[in-house]
Amino acid sequence: MLSHLFGYTLNRLQKTLRARMDENLASLGLSAPQYAVLCLLAADPGIANAELARRTFVTPPTMIRIVMAMEQAGLLARTPDPEGGRKLGARLTAEGERRLGLASKAVAATEGVLAETAGEDGATILRWLGEAADRLDGMRSG
């Protein structure tokens, strides 16, 4: 069995978490990556698509499709960068803000299960996960 391996267990948790989040967000017409985009745009309006892709763990072409679909759904609006160029800065619309509020409640239920499971060790577990990710990221070759 693979359950003694960190990577296997973390991947199992991630896949299960994503499935539950997608289930909870489906009634709002959102997926987990779309929810992440709403959160990121609320915190950093105008963030570049490439940075959105990095922070949501999808490829830039996938992010372009996500942003275009969200724009068509009226959740965000893109405007030309005031500094010129081809970059379009995205910002939440009123509907995007409304949907983010509802989605945050749906996600909180899923996150609550994780917090309950972690108990008093929650902060330690989060710190360890972050540090482990940073260390593994630092091992990149080239």
Side-chain angles (χ1 to χ4, degrees):
M1 190 65 173
L2 299 172
S3 60
H4 69 284
L5 299 172
F6 284 109
Y8 175 83
T9 304
L10 285 169
N11 193 38
R12 180 175 165 237
L13 172 61
Q14 189 277 327
K15 298 281 187 194
T16 305
L17 174 62
R18 170 71 189 268
R20 294 302 82 76
M21 285 182 65
D22 282 341
E23 287 172 6
N24 290 346
L25 293 168
S27 65
L28 298 170
L30 296 171
S31 65
Q34 289 173 321
Y35 172 72
V37 168
L38 291 176
C39 289
L40 290 167
L41 287 176
D44 190 4
I47 187 173
N49 276 1
E51 187 62 23
L52 283 172
R54 274 190 291 282
R55 292 190 192 179
T56 57
F57 313 108
V58 300
T59 64
T62 298
M63 182 52 62
I64 290 169
R65 288 191 297 276
I66 290 171
V67 167
M68 289 176 68
M70 293 176 74
E71 183 178 30
Q72 289 175 349
L75 301 176
L76 59 87
R78 296 189 299 164
T79 56
D81 189 325
E83 297 178 17
R86 297 181 352 175
K87 179 183 169 196
L88 295 174
R91 288 174 172 41
L92 295 183
T93 62
E95 176 58 19
E97 290 176 8
R98 184 188 78 77
R99 198 93 56 101
L100 174 59
L102 295 171
S104 293
K105 292 176 186 172
V107 168
T110 305
E111 285 284 333
V113 172
L114 296 176
E116 287 174 20
T117 304
E120 294 177 5
D121 298 322
T124 301
I125 293 168
L126 283 173
R127 186 174 52 255
W128 179 85
L129 289 169
E131 290 174 7
D134 290 344
R135 288 183 75 180
L136 288 172
D137 194 43
M139 291 177 58
R140 287 185 182 180
S141 59

